[in-house]
Amino acid sequence: MDEQSFQRLRPEGDDHDRLTCTTCGFIAYENPKIIAGAVVEVDGGVLLCRRAIEPRSGFWTLPAGFMELGETVEEAACREAWEEARVRIAVDGLLAVYSIARIGQVQMLFRATLAEPGWAAGPESLEVRRFAWEEIPWPELAFPSARWALHRWWQTRGQPLGAPATNPVEDPRGTVPLSGTAL
Amino acid sequence: MDEQSFQRLRPEGDDHDRLTCTTCGFIAYENPKIIAGAVVEVDGGVLLCRRAIEPRSGFWTLPAGFMELGETVEEAACREAWEEARVRIAVDGLLAVYSIARIGQVQMLFRATLAEPGWAAGPESLEVRRFAWEEIPWPELAFPSARWALHRWWQTRGQPLGAPATNPVEDPRGTVPLSGTAL
């Protein structure tokens, strides 16, 4: 890739600079991307995946990933659960919406249960395990938002889901870098 | 723009084809984009904008638009309200999340009130008006999702917001084209 051919230029009538190919004029609009995922309850505990890929390879997280074109948010969460944890889930409702402005993500995390028994590591996971609440490896979680969502799940367990959680007071815009969080 | 230079190719290890520049190798990942917007209550009615731009120029809609990098979803809704309706809003909560798979959008629509008095047409609006519920010009709404969100707003008025609405039964994946809806 010729990095030099792309420059940040302002299209006519726009109020943001856009990544523009100075060779062919292609404008690559960059907007926040949606991460869809789920806290999957199993016998009162939750499923976590140990990441086989960067960032944060070797750390534990929720099954979640980039939503693709042509699917709904709920479908994306189900697909990611299958891809990363080889688990078929039933989505109960929207647990949380976190804006992570630092990295241009909106994370939409659902509460879910097993639709079919069983799970296994998908290609992007080293292992997938059920953890009881008191077993969750908090210092080894990959991302602050996984911690936030797990706490929200714990608060709402056994209850109907109301309004989804949003960013916590500790990081109201999702701008704290990984190294600045209490992992 | 040289349209021919971009082709849909599958990067190694990926499971989707991606828009790839065959000249320089740039991959333009295309994921769903977030539309952030608000149903803004004014004296028991709602603010609507008559669109000055395509698509659906001349039709009425909620103040809403593409979320940009570096902001939260709530900030995007507030910015769009200012840009399109020159109104400063206070976001109350998430009214609805609609996946519009046909056009690769996830629409996140908030319930809001005025933070400051006054509104006016922004550059992308022909006019902005307050409508009482019985005055809403249903046949002249720009998008089905505006109709859905307005009905949700009406159902939840005066009550705490619970779980956000999702796509209605009439269009569970947001795949019905404009011409196929009862506008």
Side-chain angles (χ1 to χ4, degrees):
Chain A
M1 173 180 164
D2 178 7
E3 298 275 355
Q4 298 305 309
S5 72
F6 277 87
Q7 292 182 16
R8 297 198 176 275
L9 302 172
R10 186 157 306 195
E12 190 180 332
D14 204 332
D15 52 7
H16 284 72
D17 292 341
R18 307 292 178 184
L19 197 61
T20 307
C21 179
T22 54
T23 305
C24 71
F26 179 83
I27 299 174
Y29 285 94
E30 299 168 294
N31 297 88
K33 292 181 192 287
I34 293 171
I35 298 287
V39 178
V40 185
E41 187 264 323
V42 179
D43 295 335
V46 294
L47 285 191
L48 295 178
C49 307
R50 198 151 72 86
R51 292 172 62 81
I53 56 172
E54 294 298 337
R56 305 289 280 168
S57 181
F59 287 78
W60 293 91
T61 193
L62 304 172
F66 289 106
M67 183 178 170
E68 298 280 357
L69 292 175
E71 59 190 6
T72 67
V73 188
E74 292 83 354
E75 289 168 347
C78 293
R79 177 183 50 72
E80 289 289 343
W82 175 253
E83 289 181 5
E84 302 198 344
R86 288 290 183 259
V87 62
R88 299 294 186 190
I89 66 171
V91 165
D92 170 29
L94 189 57
L95 187 67
V97 176
Y98 300 126
S99 295
I100 314 291
R102 179 176 56 85
I103 51 175
Q105 290 183 359
V106 173
Q107 303 191 353
M108 303 185 67
L109 304 172
F110 293 87
R111 190 168 76 173
T113 54
L114 294 191
E116 297 176 11
W119 61 84
E124 297 184 355
S125 301
L126 296 171
E127 56 178 317
V128 176
R129 275 179 56 190
R130 172 196 173 275
F131 290 90
W133 178 254
E134 56 274 15
E135 296 170 334
I136 292 173
W138 301 105
E140 293 162 47
L141 290 185
F143 309 111
S145 55
R147 175 165 48 84
W148 304 344
L150 286 166
H151 280 280
R152 181 66 177 178
W153 172 83
W154 183 247
Q155 288 167 354
T156 61
R157 72 194 187 287
Q159 301 168 46
L161 280 173
T166 55
N167 288 44
V169 172
E170 72 178 57
D171 194 3
R173 302 186 67 252
T175 50
V176 175
L178 280 179
S179 59
T181 60
L183 280 172
Chain B
M1 172 180 164
D2 177 7
E3 298 272 356
Q4 297 307 308
S5 72
F6 277 86
Q7 293 183 15
R8 297 199 176 274
L9 302 172
R10 187 157 305 193
E12 190 180 332
D14 203 332
D15 52 6
H16 284 73
D17 291 341
R18 307 293 178 183
L19 198 61
T20 307
C21 179
T22 54
T23 305
C24 72
F26 179 83
I27 299 173
Y29 286 93
E30 298 167 296
N31 297 89
K33 292 182 192 286
I34 293 171
I35 298 287
V39 178
V40 184
E41 186 265 322
V42 179
D43 295 335
V46 295
L47 286 190
L48 295 177
C49 308
R50 198 152 71 86
R51 292 172 62 82
I53 56 172
E54 294 298 338
R56 305 288 282 167
S57 181
F59 288 78
W60 293 91
T61 193
L62 304 173
F66 288 107
M67 182 178 172
E68 298 280 357
L69 292 174
E71 59 190 6
T72 68
V73 187
E74 292 84 353
E75 288 168 348
C78 293
R79 177 182 51 71
E80 289 289 343
W82 176 252
E83 289 181 5
E84 301 197 346
R86 288 291 182 256
V87 62
R88 299 293 185 190
I89 65 172
V91 165
D92 170 29
L94 189 58
L95 187 67
V97 177
Y98 300 126
S99 295
I100 314 292
R102 178 177 57 84
I103 51 175
Q105 289 183 358
V106 173
Q107 302 191 354
M108 302 183 68
L109 304 173
F110 293 87
R111 190 169 75 173
T113 54
L114 293 191
E116 297 175 11
W119 60 82
E124 297 183 355
S125 301
L126 295 170
E127 57 178 315
V128 175
R129 276 180 55 190
R130 172 196 172 275
F131 290 90
W133 178 255
E134 56 275 15
E135 296 171 333
I136 292 174
W138 301 105
E140 292 161 48
L141 291 184
F143 308 111
S145 55
R147 175 165 48 84
W148 304 343
L150 286 166
H151 280 280
R152 180 67 176 178
W153 172 82
W154 183 246
Q155 289 168 353
T156 61
R157 71 195 186 286
Q159 302 167 46
L161 280 173
T166 55
N167 289 44
V169 172
E170 74 178 55
D171 194 3
R173 303 187 66 253
T175 51
V176 176
L178 282 177
S179 59
T181 60
L183 280 171

